[in-house]
Amino acid sequence: MAPGVWMPDQGEGTYANPILAGDYSDPDIVRVGEDYYLTASSFANVPGLPVLHSRDLVNWTLVGHALTRLPQAHHDVPRRGGGVWAPAIRHHGGLFRIFWGDPDFGIYTVTAADPAGPWSEPILVDNPGGAIDPAPFWDDDGQGWLVYSYAKSRSGKINLVALKRLDDSGTRAVGEERIIVDGDTLAQVETSDGPKTWVVIEGGKLYKRDGWYWLFAPSGGVKGGWQGVFRARDITGPYEARNVLDQGDTPVNGPHQGGWVETPQGEHWFVHFSDADAYGRRVHLQPMTWNADGWPLVGTPQPGTHRGQPVLAHAKPALPPQAMSAPVVDDSFDDGFHLGWQWQSNPAADWHDASATGVLRLKSASSPVNLWEAGHVLSQKLPGMTFSATTTLDFAPVALGERAGLTLFGAAYGWIGLEHAADGVRLVQVTREDAAGQGDARSVTAGVAIHGPVHLRVDVTPVEVAVAPPADPTRYWPSMERAYHARAQFHYSLDGHAWTALGEPVHVLPGRWVGAQLGLFAQSPAGTPAFTATRVGYADFDDFRVR
């Protein structure tokens, strides 16, 4: 692996969290035999629904995506924060099944015999209006059930977990909706930061053990939350509630929303995310044990309580050894581009010229100059907290105003690259501090005329910043008073050896529900005539490397 990529396996029988340093939000997990599969939210990025594989729960590889494109033309342009929310992956009836909620269009499912694909076309399971976070469950009698929650922004409802039956195919929700958990009716819960109100209960997953139905459902919000567990003797309730994991005295904020898995050896483990702002929602692995009263405890015990707190490092699961691995980052582009790359919306057929060999050829797609509005930025998740990313750009523009480059991208972003101006092709570094709010950009030009390939680099380091304190201490945690930006310093080189910084460092912010992303793009001004070989040019990228 590239030395800039975070590796959780410490090589001596232990692991360090996170097990996935990239932005794999809302993870869910399933075991089939001796193999483990994980999926996560992908929101507006395409392809969506990443599928990762492991045999030891620590070393993961990306094996494919279950969604080649979002099923609505609505997503043919960037819909920041829309798309795939909080999926669940299960194996039932000989098929892998992934369910997800698009808050604007409903609950969907796809199926596959092989988790690497091909996957079926999306099937609409239900559309109760604003539903999110669906997860299926099949009971001992074969009856299928679906739990889900609601996005207040679309439905006006929140803090609920709903239940419906599934039909025999497992692809349609049928019958009457039942609310099995209403957070507004629950007494306050004890946490390591004092009593809290149950708020934003969502992301529910149903399991069964020892005659109890177990609903794992986080509460408290992304950064200030905890992992709630609810149990009942009947699937419809009534459910008892408990906090089984919170931040405790660790730096791991909002440890919640994930999935429980049991190994063949009888160990229990829980994956969840923790929000690192510009670095995304990173995945952690926690040991899970059972208290004497029959309730689970996730993480390491907090003395004198029935709840756990996250482990920062721990002995690896008692599973057969696996080679150290992490999702691939580097790309030579010798055979297309690797699975880790995603577009910002459903791609158009001519954004990428697959006929070019040995390079990534991006056509100069027509779009607004603000990349926040551009679906054709090809991006991947950040591989760690501190790293440098380099690539080589060979630009062949036709129209004035065409530009191409390397970006660290989010709601505030920067990029370095080349722009075709009236006096030729020039090196430029652009910063847009409020891209999501359509703020103005500022640019710095190197004044160097470029007549061939140029090498581009971004150095990335975390910067901790203070944010406004929460207004209601009964609902939020002190950890919400600070955030991470990704500080990006851009450089160029004409020979690949001597590097020159261009522009001031840029504080890059996360996107909408996603972390910042490394991206490559080629762009022509909005309104440029449709792509043809004579009207717009292209950019060739080669040797994308992280160190």
Side-chain angles (χ1 to χ4, degrees), residues 6 50 151 164 258 261 294 296 448 451 456 470 518:
W6 169 257
K164 270 191 178 180
V261 68
V448 179
H451 303 288
L456 308 175
L518 284 164

Side-chain angles (χ1 to χ4, degrees), residues 39 67 389 401 450 491 510 512:
T39 191
L67 198 59
I450 301 298
H491 307 256
R512 182 69 168 163

Side-chain angles (χ1 to χ4, degrees), residues 110-179:
V110 288
T111 63
D114 184 340
W119 288 80
S120 71
E121 291 298 312
I123 299 169
L124 181 64
V125 178
D126 199 7
N127 188 13
I132 57 171
D133 304 359
F137 168 77
W138 282 270
D139 211 338
D140 299 334
D141 61 2
Q143 175 62 57
W145 298 87
L146 187 71
V147 291
Y148 55 92
S149 293
Y150 283 97
K152 186 176 182 180
S153 60
R154 272 69 164 192
S155 67
K157 296 182 284 189
I158 197 171
N159 213 19
L160 302 171
V161 179
L163 177 74
K164 270 191 178 180
R165 291 180 182 269
L166 288 171
D167 70 3
D168 290 343
S169 72
T171 63
R172 304 284 181 189
V174 295
E176 177 187 359
E177 175 186 273
R178 304 173 190 230
I179 301 300

